[in-house]
Amino acid sequence: MTVRSAAIRVIVRVSTCNLGDGPGLATRYRCVVDLTARIGSGEGGFVLFAVTPPRRSTPAERLPKIANATIERLSHLDLDGLVLYDIDDESSRNPVERPFPFSPTVDPSEYRANHMHQWRTPVIVYRAVGKLQREDLRTWIEEQDPRHTLTVMVGAASSGALPAVSLADAQAMRADLNPGLLLGGVAIPERHSRRENEHLRLIAKQAAGCSFFVTQVVYDLNAAKDLVSDYRYACESRGIIPVPIVFTFSVCGSMKTLEFLRWLGVDVPRWIENDLRHAADPLAASLEQAVTTAGELIEYCRRLGVPFGINVESVSIRREEIEASVELATQLIRRIRT
Amino acid sequence: MTVRSAAIRVIVRVSTCNLGDGPGLATRYRCVVDLTARIGSGEGGFVLFAVTPPRRSTPAERLPKIANATIERLSHLDLDGLVLYDIDDESSRNPVERPFPFSPTVDPSEYRANHMHQWRTPVIVYRAVGKLQREDLRTWIEEQDPRHTLTVMVGAASSGALPAVSLADAQAMRADLNPGLLLGGVAIPERHSRRENEHLRLIAKQAAGCSFFVTQVVYDLNAAKDLVSDYRYACESRGIIPVPIVFTFSVCGSMKTLEFLRWLGVDVPRWIENDLRHAADPLAASLEQAVTTAGELIEYCRRLGVPFGINVESVSIRREEIEASVELATQLIRRIRT
């Protein structure tokens, strides 16, 4: 039996995995096999939700409550996995003042281990490798169980920084110490619009061990399609099989969120800015736009034969924006499974 | 009764206007009232098809055949009007070699009068005013029956050219000599992406008498939405009512067509270029993309309350691309009337 057909069988079984009475071990195991098996065999078709751990200044006794509230909010969704971001101070990358002041967040791996162990499906833990000491990263890589954990390694925010561990070092350590640990890389369609070589960066990351990519939030459909298309044909000409690209979507319900997205390098269209200033329900407009953009990318990737996943993130911590993100994930799960 | 409700009543009647045995006068009149009444009262919801007259080098005896073939091809569509382009040699605008060599075309007004008189709905005749002598333009404006003819006046291709009649002159002549003749202007979303003032140009053209706008071919959805959105809110802040924006769509089925679109200043995405080079059926992919983009713009304009129309053009003269354009118009008529 090929790996691909094994993974497909798992998908079929998984369709029943959330119908049980509780997260029993067998159920958990089947779910766990699902995302890792699919990415491991180069298949897409999964939906993730991305969470940023709380600020490090949060009182310790509040962390379990926050984690439980997140699990509670997301547990009724049929998510294939969770993403935990690792926030680095990117002010070295962007001289413009950060719209939200930078505040260090709890280490995603610690947050997961201490507070998110109730979460049933695999977790993709981001690692801003520039923040870590070599020994700490080594230990972390060695300790991870590849059935439950995947990682996305992110380099230092600015090429001017001199971190203890470079992205290339970290990628090599993963390949050496725990080659079964599935590694992802970031993909930035906006960078492709400007430099037209992001597809080649993805192929280089693939050679360094990446078996999936996660984009930053997508607002420019043509930029995302351009990247997928260039990547697919560059793979073909090199005899490489494309790996899943996970497209991230979000809602934008306030000017503050919009400013922050732009600060992060996302090209948010002017019409969304206008909607935010004038529309009766900008959050609903943004939700509708994200559903439509995702729908088009899904159709496009299917037509092109590039495996893909969906990731939904709430950029803001405002309750109504978080709830709209959950609604976005609900709609995209429905869309991707039909 | 308001003008708006009168126009709506006409629309209801028009739904039967192509079911008659032939283009009788009463039927023709009802159809004619429709497009002009709608634009005259600031309403959208119409679909046009744009045709470029044959080359001037075409033997005279072939012109009626070509015109009849066009009418035959389009008569089964329920089009609200026809657009006849006026092609100017734009090589002064773009130093890059023109992908298709420039070849003067039959004057659209002469072509319409001599060969397209069987066409049943109003015709929007483009006038590249820089090509005309003042007296000829004066006579043309005076002779037009505003019930059957509308016009889009286009200025000289390059600001370096010194034409006999400027666009401002031509607009003033229309207002003076035949104020009932509905005047349109061109709208270019790509220019808005670069300069962010196209919406103000539209408002200035509106002050010069324009009661509708026609875009060049739309491939960049965000650019088109940005323009509509900026235009709508700029109108609101000035107490102006937005006039219909007619979005032009086309299919692109060959590299030659793509090169030509780019030469004309249309931002055609790289993924469409890749499709053209690699896809099994690029024309089908381009058709699907145009339907989707148009559908999103239709929804967006409805939500924003900006009146809009749809214009379908065949950029290429290859038979399969023309047929795909007709299919595009068929699908968009269905879409806009539901």
Side-chain angles (χ1 to χ4, degrees):
Chain A
M1 190 199 306
T2 64
V3 176
R4 180 170 287 266
S5 64
I8 288 169
R9 286 215 327 198
V10 170
I11 296 169
V12 173
R13 281 205 222 139
V14 162
S15 64
T16 64
C17 96
N18 280 341
L19 300 174
D21 292 331
L25 190 63
T27 307
R28 279 180 67 184
Y29 182 71
R30 282 210 300 275
C31 290
V32 167
V33 167
D34 186 30
L35 181 68
T36 52
R38 273 194 268 179
I39 291 184
S41 62
E43 288 175 72
F46 47 84
V47 181
L48 315 171
F49 198 97
V51 170
T52 300
R55 292 182 186 164
R56 246 187 262 163
S57 57
T58 310
E61 68 275 16
R62 287 203 57 224
L63 294 177
K65 287 183 192 159
I66 295 172
N68 288 340
T70 299
I71 292 172
E72 177 76 18
R73 184 179 281 125
L74 300 180
S75 60
H76 72 278
L77 300 177
D78 194 16
L79 291 166
D80 298 295
L82 196 69
V83 172
L84 284 181
Y85 286 137
D86 192 2
I87 305 299
D88 199 1
D89 183 1
E90 298 194 39
S91 45
S92 64
R93 187 183 57 74
N94 189 340
V96 177
E97 193 188 351
R98 202 177 193 275
F100 296 105
F102 175 69
S103 176
T105 46
V106 173
D107 179 272
S109 190
E110 287 174 23
Y111 186 61
R112 189 261 184 106
N114 297 334
H115 305 293
M116 298 290 286
H117 44 270
Q118 291 293 325
W119 182 259
R120 291 158 45 173
T121 54
V123 179
I124 298 176
V125 180
Y126 269 55
R127 303 269 54 182
V129 298
K131 292 199 314 192
L132 300 172
Q133 294 305 310
R134 180 172 294 271
E135 270 317 301
D136 295 338
L137 182 59
R138 165 183 292 274
T139 308
W140 184 81
I141 290 171
E142 283 173 338
E143 283 177 352
Q144 302 313 306
D145 179 345
R147 292 174 305 167
H148 305 280
T149 305
L150 303 84
T151 187
V152 169
M153 290 177 170
V154 186
S158 157
S159 54
L162 272 176
V165 187
S166 72
L167 180 58
D169 287 345
Q171 288 166 337
M173 285 164 72
R174 199 267 336 169
D176 184 36
L177 302 168
N178 195 349
L181 178 64
L182 290 173
L183 174 69
V186 293
I188 303 187
E190 276 87 348
R191 200 156 57 188
H192 194 56
S193 300
R194 287 192 298 274
R195 302 185 195 163
E196 300 192 353
N197 68 350
E198 187 71 2
H199 61 307
L200 303 178
R201 293 172 71 122
L202 299 191
I203 287 171
K205 286 179 183 173
Q206 214 169 318
C210 285
S211 52
F212 64 103
F213 298 105
V214 185
T215 71
Q216 68 178 12
V217 181
V218 174
Y219 278 99
D220 187 336
L221 182 63
N222 276 328
K225 282 184 170 179
D226 283 351
L227 176 57
V228 178
S229 171
D230 282 342
Y231 171 64
R232 181 230 190 271
Y233 292 113
C235 283
E236 188 174 81
S237 73
R238 287 162 175 77
I240 299 168
I241 295 172
V243 300
I245 300 182
V246 184
F247 297 100
T248 302
F249 296 95
S250 181
V251 294
C252 178
S254 75
M255 286 306 293
K256 204 80 180 162
T257 305
L258 179 134
E259 277 172 45
F260 187 51
L261 283 166
R262 287 192 174 149
W263 188 88
L264 289 169
V266 179
D267 286 346
V268 186
R270 284 170 65 89
W271 67 266
I272 292 192
E273 177 177 344
N274 289 340
D275 269 0
L276 282 172
R277 288 189 202 278
H278 301 280
D281 191 346
L283 197 54
S286 169
L287 173 64
E288 183 190 313
Q289 188 266 348
V291 170
T292 307
T293 305
E296 270 202 63
L297 266 177
I298 289 169
E299 287 312 307
Y300 184 68
C301 289
R302 283 178 176 160
R303 182 159 70 73
L304 221 56
V306 173
F308 64 93
I310 297 289
N311 177 35
V312 175
E313 114 176 57
S314 180
V315 176
S316 155
I317 54 166
R318 285 173 59 222
R319 172 179 289 273
E320 58 182 6
E321 291 190 60
I322 294 173
E323 284 169 358
S325 301
V326 173
E327 172 60 25
L328 175 58
T330 306
Q331 292 194 31
L332 295 185
I333 286 170
R334 203 179 303 140
R335 174 71 190 248
I336 210 168
R337 303 218 170 121
T338 54
Chain B
M1 192 201 303
T2 64
V3 176
R4 180 170 287 265
S5 64
I8 289 169
R9 286 217 325 203
V10 169
I11 296 167
V12 173
R13 281 204 222 141
V14 162
S15 64
T16 64
C17 96
N18 280 341
L19 300 174
D21 291 333
L25 191 62
T27 307
R28 281 179 67 182
Y29 183 72
R30 283 208 302 272
C31 290
V32 167
V33 166
D34 187 30
L35 180 69
T36 53
R38 274 194 268 179
I39 292 183
S41 62
E43 288 175 73
F46 48 83
V47 181
L48 314 171
F49 198 97
V51 169
T52 300
R55 291 181 186 166
R56 245 186 262 164
S57 57
T58 310
E61 68 275 14
R62 288 205 56 225
L63 294 177
K65 287 182 192 158
I66 294 172
N68 288 340
T70 299
I71 293 172
E72 177 77 17
R73 182 178 284 125
L74 300 180
S75 60
H76 72 278
L77 300 177
D78 194 17
L79 291 166
D80 298 296
L82 195 69
V83 172
L84 285 181
Y85 285 138
D86 192 2
I87 305 300
D88 199 2
D89 183 0
E90 297 194 41
S91 46
S92 64
R93 186 183 57 75
N94 190 339
V96 177
E97 194 189 351
R98 202 178 194 276
F100 296 106
F102 175 69
S103 175
T105 46
V106 173
D107 179 90
S109 188
E110 285 174 23
Y111 186 62
R112 188 263 184 107
N114 297 334
H115 305 292
M116 298 290 285
H117 45 270
Q118 291 293 324
W119 182 259
R120 289 158 49 172
T121 55
V123 179
I124 298 176
V125 180
Y126 269 56
R127 303 270 52 186
V129 299
K131 292 199 313 192
L132 300 172
Q133 294 306 309
R134 180 172 293 271
E135 271 316 300
D136 294 340
L137 181 59
R138 166 183 291 273
T139 307
W140 184 80
I141 289 172
E142 284 175 336
E143 283 176 352
Q144 301 313 304
D145 179 345
R147 292 175 304 169
H148 305 280
T149 305
L150 304 83
T151 187
V152 169
M153 289 178 170
V154 186
S158 157
S159 54
L162 272 176
V165 187
S166 72
L167 180 58
D169 287 346
Q171 288 166 335
M173 284 164 73
R174 197 270 334 170
D176 185 35
L177 301 168
N178 195 348
L181 177 65
L182 290 174
L183 173 69
V186 293
I188 302 185
E190 276 86 348
R191 199 156 58 189
H192 194 55
S193 299
R194 287 192 297 274
R195 303 187 195 162
E196 300 192 354
N197 69 350
E198 187 72 2
H199 61 307
L200 303 178
R201 293 171 72 121
L202 299 190
I203 287 172
K205 285 179 183 173
Q206 214 169 317
C210 284
S211 52
F212 65 103
F213 298 105
V214 185
T215 71
Q216 68 178 12
V217 180
V218 174
Y219 278 99
D220 186 336
L221 182 63
N222 276 328
K225 281 184 170 178
D226 283 350
L227 175 57
V228 177
S229 171
D230 283 341
Y231 170 65
R232 182 232 190 269
Y233 291 113
C235 282
E236 188 174 82
S237 73
R238 287 162 176 76
I240 299 167
I241 295 171
V243 300
I245 300 183
V246 184
F247 296 101
T248 301
F249 295 94
S250 181
V251 294
C252 179
S254 74
M255 287 305 293
K256 203 80 179 162
T257 304
L258 178 134
E259 277 173 44
F260 187 51
L261 283 165
R262 287 193 174 150
W263 188 87
L264 288 169
V266 178
D267 286 346
V268 185
R270 284 169 65 89
W271 67 267
I272 292 193
E273 178 177 344
N274 289 340
D275 269 1
L276 282 173
R277 289 189 202 278
H278 302 281
D281 191 347
L283 196 53
S286 169
L287 174 64
E288 183 190 314
Q289 188 265 348
V291 169
T292 307
T293 306
E296 270 203 65
L297 266 177
I298 289 169
E299 286 313 306
Y300 184 68
C301 288
R302 283 179 176 157
R303 182 160 70 75
L304 221 57
V306 173
F308 64 92
I310 297 288
N311 177 36
V312 175
E313 106 174 67
S314 180
V315 176
S316 154
I317 54 167
R318 284 172 59 222
R319 173 180 290 271
E320 59 181 6
E321 291 190 61
I322 294 173
E323 284 169 359
S325 301
V326 172
E327 173 59 25
L328 175 58
T330 305
Q331 293 193 31
L332 295 184
I333 286 171
R334 204 179 301 140
R335 174 71 190 249
I336 210 170
R337 300 210 173 127
T338 53

